[in-house]
Amino acid sequence: ISDWNGTLTKDRDERPILESIAADLFKASIPHHPLRMIRILKAKRDLEALQERGQEAGFDFAREMFRVYNERVIKGSPVSFIQRSVDKYAIRKQTQEKVDHRVLRPIRECHRAGKTTAILSAGYKYGIERVLMASGYDRYFDFCEANLLKENEGRAIELGLDIYRNKSQLLLELLKDRNIDEGKAVYIGDSEYDEGCFEIVRYPVVAFFAGNDVKKRCAEKYKAFVPEN
């Protein structure tokens, strides 16, 4: 079972995909939707302010970033437009260059050998699936548990953040529901938000993209495997 951001892709969070959606919506708003253009420009300003606060103790940048994008960009936008934007984002060269084949290739071999393979992520499920499809790895995952775009009658309400800092509890439920023995499970992650999952499984693995501090701490605390670059 693998994380997504910072593990299977170099992107640490959903900022690049959200920025891409915002840029496409802005272009599509010219010249007939000036109010939408103003909201997107305000989102850019708000996000710049959030980045300045990013190092404050206790400040949750990811949650605040989702709030700004949902309020200023996502809410009320056609779901079909958002999905088309994500489709374009997924096949871009710069997006595919961030995909980590060093991790995906062994997962593919495990799947071919009959092992259950999955993703548990705070990322956008549709985006994850489209990036994997573009790279040819989508068929090598049995399931993907990630955040969904909430909608009503074809219009977006918000990009949910139901999976975030609760990943360890969700992993326990997932293992139970899927009848997977935690004593035989591998979990691959890259950050402090994955450490609760490292504590559950028998075989924790730290991703290549993880910071050196995370690699060192998890190797010592959880006996995690840290592959060499």
Side-chain angles (χ1 to χ4, degrees):
I1 299 171
S2 178
D3 177 41
W4 174 252
N5 290 111
T7 300
L8 299 182
T9 176
K10 194 172 185 179
D11 290 329
R12 308 289 298 185
D13 54 35
E14 292 299 86
R15 200 176 332 179
I17 197 167
L18 291 169
E19 287 176 349
S20 180
I21 293 169
D24 285 346
L25 278 168
F26 187 85
K27 293 173 188 175
S29 300
I30 302 170
H32 302 297
H33 299 282
L35 293 179
R36 184 193 290 163
M37 293 169 63
I38 291 170
R39 289 201 308 270
I40 295 172
L41 289 172
K42 286 182 177 178
K44 184 175 184 295
R45 180 200 63 195
D46 292 348
L47 290 162
E48 289 171 352
L50 290 179
Q51 286 180 321
E52 293 178 3
R53 296 184 57 195
Q55 301 304 315
E56 291 181 14
F59 180 70
D60 192 334
F61 177 81
R63 192 172 294 280
E64 288 299 306
M65 177 183 69
F66 268 62
R67 179 186 61 78
V68 169
Y69 273 110
N70 280 328
E71 292 178 0
R72 303 285 197 192
V73 180
I74 299 297
K75 186 177 180 180
S77 297
V79 171
S80 58
F81 185 96
I82 292 172
Q83 290 179 339
R84 287 196 302 271
S85 176
V86 171
D87 292 345
K88 290 190 294 182
Y89 169 84
I91 63 174
R92 288 176 189 156
K93 181 180 179 182
Q94 56 266 45
T95 301
Q96 289 298 314
E97 285 176 343
K98 297 175 185 177
V99 172
D100 198 343
H101 297 269
R102 297 170 298 179
V103 182
L104 283 164
R105 283 193 295 265
I107 290 175
R108 178 184 61 192
E109 296 312 308
C110 286
H111 187 272
R112 286 174 171 172
K115 307 297 182 183
T116 299
T117 54
I119 290 172
L120 176 61
S121 170
Y124 175 27
K125 183 175 181 177
Y126 184 82
I128 293 170
E129 291 173 341
R130 301 307 285 186
V131 172
L132 285 173
M133 183 178 293
S135 63
Y137 285 97
D138 57 306
R139 73 192 73 176
Y140 302 116
F141 289 91
D142 295 293
F143 59 93
C144 174
E145 295 289 339
N147 287 308
L148 301 174
L149 181 66
K150 300 175 183 180
E151 60 179 282
N152 182 40
E153 297 183 350
R155 295 278 174 175
I157 299 173
E158 66 174 6
L159 177 57
L161 196 57
D162 299 314
I163 300 174
Y164 182 31
R165 295 189 174 186
N166 57 342
K167 289 176 72 175
S168 58
Q169 180 59 40
L170 293 174
L171 177 62
L172 284 171
E173 294 173 8
L174 185 155
L175 293 173
K176 182 180 179 182
D177 293 344
R178 300 273 177 169
N179 197 29
I180 298 172
D181 184 355
E182 61 195 50
K184 297 179 180 179
V186 177
Y187 182 87
I188 312 169
D190 73 296
S191 74
E192 64 270 25
Y193 303 129
D194 296 304
E195 291 188 36
C197 297
F198 288 159
E199 210 164 3
I200 293 169
V201 302
R202 183 175 181 183
Y203 303 106
V205 178
V206 183
F208 289 105
F209 293 136
N212 289 330
D213 56 333
V214 174
K215 292 178 179 179
K216 185 174 186 296
R217 182 173 65 251
C218 292
E220 294 174 353
K221 188 173 182 181
Y222 307 107
K223 308 302 180 188
F225 174 64
V226 181
E228 295 181 3
N229 290 329

